[in-house]
Amino acid sequence: TKCIQILAANFFGPQKNTYIRVSLPAVCFVWQIAMVVLFGVFIRYDEESDEKGWNEFKKSHNITSNIENDFYFRYPSFQDVHVMIFVGFGFLMTFLKRYSFGGVGFNFLIAAFGLQWALLMQGWFHALDPVTGKITIGIESLINADFCCAGSLIAYGALLGKVSPVQLMVVTLFGVTLFAVEEYIILDLFHCRDAGGAMVIHTFGGYYGLAISWVLYRPNLNLSKRLNGSVYHSDLFAMIGALFLWMFWPSFNSAITNHGAGQHRTVINTYLALASCVLTTFAISSMSQKKGKLDMVHIQNASLAAGVAMGTAAELMITPYGSIIVGFCCGIISTFGYLYVTPFLEKKLKLQDTCGIHNLHAVPGMLGGFVGAIVAATATEEIYGKEGLIETFDLTGKFENRTMSTQGGYQAAGTCVAIAFGLVGGVCVGFILRFPIWGDPADDFCFDDEAYWELPEDEETIPPVLEYNNHMVNKHHDTHESQFSLEES
């Protein structure tokens, strides 16, 4: 029995080894080869991207110009969403002083894998032809695949600096799978409206990441405390990511909305909410400090919360002032979250949330779901018109007799489903990630790129005497110049 105890202690014990030379290439190669096989078996072009199919589609729909192809309508939105996924999310995670490569690099890796797996998972649930057994994909499929990745990238925010790239691939594999299932339940079975993903993307992704982080609690994470923070230039890089997200969020929320008034309205509502959110974020950030100084963490993150909260309601007739009210409240709630809730969660619930996704995604997403439910329940024919009500809520087929109060109830239920999937799925995935086979760093080696990246030599390695001499030479040179110009004048 002693031998068994020793073996168990070695297996589940604190020994950590960040050697991933075998595991990471194996996962990348095997999973990418699996993608080749699965794409070969299942994925085909849809009628608007297939040469023969498009020509037949034009004839049958009496279309004379190629400009009618959905590509020209959706591609600008796709570009914006794609930039948000790779540049926005990636650079928002570069705020840690020694983890910028990991933030933007691992974001790149898991998004590139996730979007391929998402095309398959979403295809099996939404676009599988029962006759041919094939999945057809077009430009809208690519946007939805990017959305699907976003759930796992949000979860990465809670785990930033504490997990290996192999663990992140596992998080993405299960994250995309769970996303496709909860999205099918919420959008197809419950028939909810959630174009910007307040429920299916942000609420799910937020609680999924928080649940994983809770299971992977590190009692000695304070050993890496010196690196769990930012420096001047890392916060500036993170602000670049935040601004890309902020600018393109109207595109994110409107990318798959209905042609016409629906998409137009979504952009206006998101735009106004985001602007309002910035002012209240600055206000609360300043109020919270004795000298009224601003905290860059609040400005980078809380100013985006309105985009999340408008994910469901933006395409509905929430009115411009309603959007501004949502933004106003989100800036306050999210900034308070960073000030008080995140420290409370870490101290009392043993929940270590590196990026504060609880305040940027989980809570605003949940609020967005319930705001959407209220706006849907109060929708009337007087506001939307009969046709508008049918078009906005897609009240056709078996849903044509659904009342607005029932729709509101389903919207609220959808939000609860997203929370449940995130929490239960996250706990299960967290226990899988606890096995000591993934190459995750020790408690005193977190938030450090050195664990997984070849790092260039730091400037500090220049001998200090030389640095001092160079500095003084420049300084004397500047002084002489200034004296000379004074004499001249």
Side-chain angles (χ1 to χ4, degrees):
T1 55
K2 199 171 183 182
C3 289
I4 293 166
Q5 281 176 330
I6 292 166
L7 281 169
N10 286 341
F11 192 65
F12 288 105
Q15 295 85 0
K16 299 284 186 183
N17 182 359
T18 55
Y19 182 80
I20 50 168
R21 192 180 176 188
V22 176
S23 56
L24 183 62
V27 165
C28 289
F29 272 122
V30 171
W31 290 7
Q32 190 55 57
I33 290 163
M35 290 300 114
V36 173
V37 173
L38 289 167
F39 269 66
V41 173
F42 289 103
I43 302 278
R44 298 293 181 268
Y45 299 122
D46 71 2
E47 60 190 358
E48 296 200 39
S49 51
D50 181 78
E51 190 61 39
K52 189 178 172 187
W54 173 237
N55 286 322
E56 287 172 2
F57 183 82
K58 280 198 294 185
K59 282 176 193 169
S60 63
H61 288 72
N62 224 2
I63 295 169
T64 53
S65 169
N66 283 326
I67 206 77
E68 295 291 317
N69 194 301
D70 201 37
F71 173 82
Y72 297 102
F73 180 77
R74 297 286 183 199
Y75 188 71
S77 298
F78 164 73
Q79 271 186 309
D80 293 352
V81 171
H82 219 47
V83 167
M84 286 179 74
I85 296 297
F86 289 93
V87 180
F89 277 112
F91 276 89
L92 188 64
M93 295 192 204
T94 60
F95 70 95
L96 290 171
K97 63 181 82 168
R98 289 276 294 179
Y99 207 73
S100 294
F101 284 13
V104 77
F106 295 152
N107 182 86
F108 190 21
L109 170 69
I110 63 176
F113 163 66
L115 64 87
Q116 296 175 75
W117 181 228
L119 283 168
L120 285 160
M121 281 305 304
Q122 290 180 310
W124 285 322
F125 277 105
H126 299 288
L128 188 65
D129 188 320
V131 180
T132 61
K134 305 296 181 196
I135 297 163
T136 55
I137 62 166
I139 188 68
E140 203 169 322
S141 317
L142 307 188
I143 296 171
N144 279 312
D146 275 6
F147 280 174
C148 194
C149 287
S152 297
L153 299 182
I154 289 163
Y156 177 33
L159 310 170
L160 187 69
K162 303 175 292 186
V163 288
S164 73
V166 185
Q167 284 177 308
L168 287 173
M169 292 289 275
V170 175
V171 167
T172 310
L173 179 76
F174 287 107
V176 167
T177 308
L178 288 163
F179 182 100
V181 178
E182 58 109 22
E183 182 189 47
Y184 176 72
I185 292 168
I186 293 168
L187 301 187
D188 286 37
L189 301 184
F190 287 10
H191 201 65
C192 295
R193 308 305 288 162
D194 192 28
M199 298 186 280
V200 296
I201 300 171
H202 301 287
T203 306
F204 164 74
Y207 285 108
Y208 178 60
L210 291 169
I212 295 172
S213 187
W214 180 70
V215 175
L216 296 181
Y217 176 70
R218 290 171 173 267
N220 299 314
L221 193 63
N222 61 328
L223 295 172
S224 296
K225 195 178 178 183
R226 72 197 187 283
L227 295 178
N228 188 8
S230 61
V231 288
Y232 193 77
H233 66 266
S234 69
D235 262 339
L236 189 62
F237 272 113
M239 194 63 203
I240 292 169
L243 286 173
F244 268 105
L245 290 169
W246 194 89
M247 288 189 304
F248 288 147
W249 218 296
S251 295
F252 189 91
N253 284 353
S254 67
I256 56 166
T257 46
N258 293 330
H259 293 207
Q263 188 160 39
H264 197 160
R265 186 169 60 247
T266 308
V267 168
I268 294 168
N269 289 336
T270 310
Y271 174 94
L272 292 172
L274 283 163
S276 168
C277 186
V278 172
L279 273 78
T280 49
T281 299
F282 271 82
I284 301 296
S285 184
S286 177
M287 280 169 63
S288 65
Q289 298 292 332
K290 279 184 181 175
K291 293 189 177 179
K293 291 186 178 181
L294 299 162
D295 188 336
M296 201 58 164
V297 172
H298 306 154
I299 311 307
Q300 286 159 3
N301 294 281
S303 58
L304 302 170
V308 175
M310 289 301 291
T312 302
E315 69 171 323
L316 310 178
M317 295 278 282
I318 190 173
T319 71
Y321 77 89
S323 305
I324 289 177
I325 291 168
V326 171
F328 186 95
C329 296
C330 279
I332 296 168
I333 292 165
S334 185
T335 313
F336 269 120
Y338 280 96
L339 286 166
Y340 304 112
V341 181
T342 299
F344 172 82
L345 291 176
E346 184 157 351
K347 196 175 177 184
K348 300 292 182 188
L349 294 185
K350 309 288 186 218
L351 205 164
Q352 296 154 332
D353 177 8
T354 312
C355 289
I357 64 165
H358 178 266
N359 317 307
L360 173 53
H361 297 282
V363 170
M366 179 177 68
L367 289 173
F370 291 129
V371 167
I374 294 164
V375 178
T378 54
T380 62
E381 212 170 287
E382 195 182 337
I383 299 167
Y384 289 80
K386 191 173 183 182
E387 278 180 25
L389 213 54
I390 292 166
E391 192 178 332
T392 304
F393 294 97
D394 195 22
L395 300 175
T396 54
K398 61 181 179 179
F399 301 106
E400 65 183 339
N401 295 320
R402 180 180 278 189
T403 63
M404 285 299 97
S405 54
T406 308
Q407 181 67 33
Y410 274 107
Q411 294 281 153
T415 309
C416 298
V417 168
I419 295 169
F421 262 82
L423 291 175
V424 177
V427 168
C428 297
V429 173
F431 278 112
I432 292 168
L433 297 182
R434 279 186 76 95
F435 286 102
I437 55 173
W438 307 113
D440 50 320
D443 286 356
D444 60 350
F445 204 21
C446 291
F447 314 117
D448 196 340
D449 272 333
E450 196 148 355
Y452 304 108
W453 296 88
E454 278 291 337
L455 298 182
E457 282 191 10
D458 285 342
E459 293 86 347
E460 290 88 66
T461 55
I462 301 166
V465 174
L466 277 174
E467 201 172 7
Y468 175 74
N469 287 346
N470 289 344
H471 178 62
M472 292 311 289
V473 165
N474 291 338
K475 195 166 183 182
H476 287 309
H477 181 66
D478 291 343
T479 312
H480 294 324
E481 274 192 353
S482 62
Q483 283 172 349
F484 178 70
S485 60
L486 278 168
E487 284 165 18
E488 283 256 313
S489 62

